[in-house]
Structure formats: structure tokens, C-alpha cells
Amino acid sequence: MRLIHRIYQFALERTGMTVRPKPRISSRKRPQQARSNALVSTILEAAVRVLAEEGAQRFTTARVAERAGVSVGSLYQYFPNKASILFRLQSDEWKRTTEQLRKILGERSRPPLDRLRHLVETFIRSEFEEASLRVALDDAAPLYRDAPEAHEIHAEGDRIVEVFMRDVLPNTPQAARTLAGELIITTMTAVGKELSETPRGDAEIKEFAEAMSTMFCAYLAKVEQVTDL
């Protein structure tokens, strides 16, 4: 089951872009000292600005280095090419999403459906907050879509959702739980991306999130009911 991967794949399908040969995307080396960590942070912050302002097609290491105020040689100490920078930005976003799943869906002091409602609203809001950067990263995704590092990141999110679905549907067969989880994640992702393409007020965002949560809860209740028959 690749639920987080579905979020990623859906974004790729919307771009209509074809797969190109994959360059190396791993960082050249990991920063070991505070000064090195600060340099990497400066490079990544500059990369976000370049990507959001100029888009993936005009994104280059030279532009990032110039915006960061460092030499291209200094940048290459940590990132061998533009694909490695873009993948770092994307993987950081995936990790934030995974941590969001872990924190919200793993909060067992709350009933499962309350956790689901919380996740839906949090996810929809994050889609609006990160809309411009996400679109640019979607355009760059063919550079790293099949990289082993990408698949490794998705696996942890899959496990989190799978555990949550056992909380929601403890008596439901595994195949049915898997289908339910995939449907919820795919629908939430598709609707969130579609909605975030148009600016909306806080009240409207909350209304959409509540309506989607109600739909998911009704669907899960139906799945549970069928299982009990």
C-alpha cells in the first residue's frame, strides 16, 4: 500500500509530464557543523524563493546560489545539481506531511473519526498555504519521481495510515481497510489540490473540510455496517 505515494502520483498525473532520465538526487554530503547547517538552510530558503517566483523551468543552481549569496562551488559541496535541491525541498515537504499524519492520526486520546476530521481540515489548510510552492515542485517532479529515496519516504506514511485504519475499522478485513484508506487519501488529496487553485476565505475552507469529513465518516460507517452483516 502506497498511500503517501498516491498523493505524489496524483500531482504528477495532473502535470501531464513525461518521465526523463533521472540525475543523482542525493545530497553530496551532510553538514556536520553549525556553520554548514546554516549554509544549507540559506541555500534551501533561496531555492524556495527562486522556485516560487520563477517556476521549475527557470530554476537553476546558478540562480539559487546568487539568491543565497554564495558561490556555485559552495552550493555544489552539498547539492550536486538542481534535481538534488528540488528533491530536498520535496522530501522535506513529504516528511512534514508524514509527521502531520503521525501526530494527528496517532493521537489515541481522541476517537478515530475526530482524528480524521482534524486531519482533513489541517491538510486542506496546508494545501492553501503551500499552493505556489507545491505547483512548482509538481512541475519538477519527473526529475525524481522514481528515485529510491522517494519510495523510502512514502513507506512510513503508509504504515501510519494503515495503523489508523485498524483503529477505525477493527473488525473489517484487511483488503477492505486498504481500499478505504486509499479512497480517503486520494479523495482528500485531489479535492485539496483542486480547491487550492482558487483563493478562498477561512470560512469557506472550513466549510469544505467539514463537508468532506462528514462524507468520509458516512463512508466508513457504511463499510463497518457491511462488515457486521
Side-chain angles (χ1 to χ4, degrees), residues 63 139 186:
R63 286 191 173 90
D139 289 343
T186 302

Side-chain angles (χ1 to χ4, degrees), residues 53-74:
E53 294 171 9
E54 304 195 36
Q57 302 305 318
R58 290 179 53 80
F59 184 92
T60 65
T61 53
R63 286 191 173 90
V64 172
E66 180 180 9
R67 185 65 63 92
V70 302
S71 68
V72 173
S74 294

Side-chain angles (χ1 to χ4, degrees), residues 11-12 14-18 20 51 54-59 82 86 90 132-144:
L12 295 177
R14 294 174 78 245
T15 67
M17 298 182 73
T18 57
R20 295 193 291 261
L51 191 61
E54 304 195 36
Q57 302 305 318
R58 290 179 53 80
F59 184 92
K82 72 174 186 179
L86 291 167
Q90 180 65 87
S132 60
L133 179 61
R134 190 195 66 245
V135 170
L137 285 172
D138 287 350
D139 289 343
L143 291 172
Y144 47 73

Side-chain angles (χ1 to χ4, degrees), residues 36-185:
S36 297
N37 281 311
L39 175 58
V40 170
S41 295
T42 297
I43 292 170
L44 292 174
E45 289 169 5
V48 168
R49 293 196 299 272
V50 171
L51 191 61
E53 294 171 9
E54 304 195 36
Q57 302 305 318
R58 290 179 53 80
F59 184 92
T60 65
T61 53
R63 286 191 173 90
V64 172
E66 180 180 9
R67 185 65 63 92
V70 302
S71 68
V72 173
S74 294
L75 183 150
Y76 282 156
Q77 289 183 51
Y78 299 98
F79 300 101
N81 47 45
K82 72 174 186 179
S84 66
I85 303 175
L86 291 167
F87 179 72
R88 172 63 182 271
L89 295 177
Q90 180 65 87
S91 63
D92 284 352
E93 193 278 328
W94 283 333
K95 289 173 182 176
R96 287 192 295 272
T97 299
T98 300
E99 188 55 37
Q100 187 180 82
L101 287 172
R102 188 195 317 281
K103 181 178 179 181
I104 296 175
L105 297 185
E107 190 179 0
R108 296 207 166 167
S109 60
R110 302 177 65 171
L113 295 184
D114 284 357
R115 286 179 257 163
L116 179 59
R117 288 182 178 277
H118 185 195
L119 175 67
V120 171
E121 181 169 355
T122 302
F123 179 81
I124 295 298
R125 290 189 182 282
S126 70
E127 287 292 282
F128 280 92
E129 291 168 0
E130 301 170 359
S132 60
L133 179 61
R134 190 195 66 245
V135 170
L137 285 172
D138 287 350
D139 289 343
L143 291 172
Y144 47 73
R145 64 185 297 175
D146 293 326
E149 298 97 323
H151 294 292
E152 291 171 6
I153 293 171
H154 306 321
E156 180 59 22
D158 296 345
R159 288 190 289 270
I160 294 167
V161 176
E162 186 174 357
V163 170
F164 172 73
M165 292 308 298
R166 288 202 298 269
D167 287 348
V168 180
L169 302 170
N171 302 315
T172 301
Q174 177 63 43
R177 285 201 300 263
T178 298
L179 176 61
E182 290 182 345
L183 188 147
I184 288 171
I185 293 295

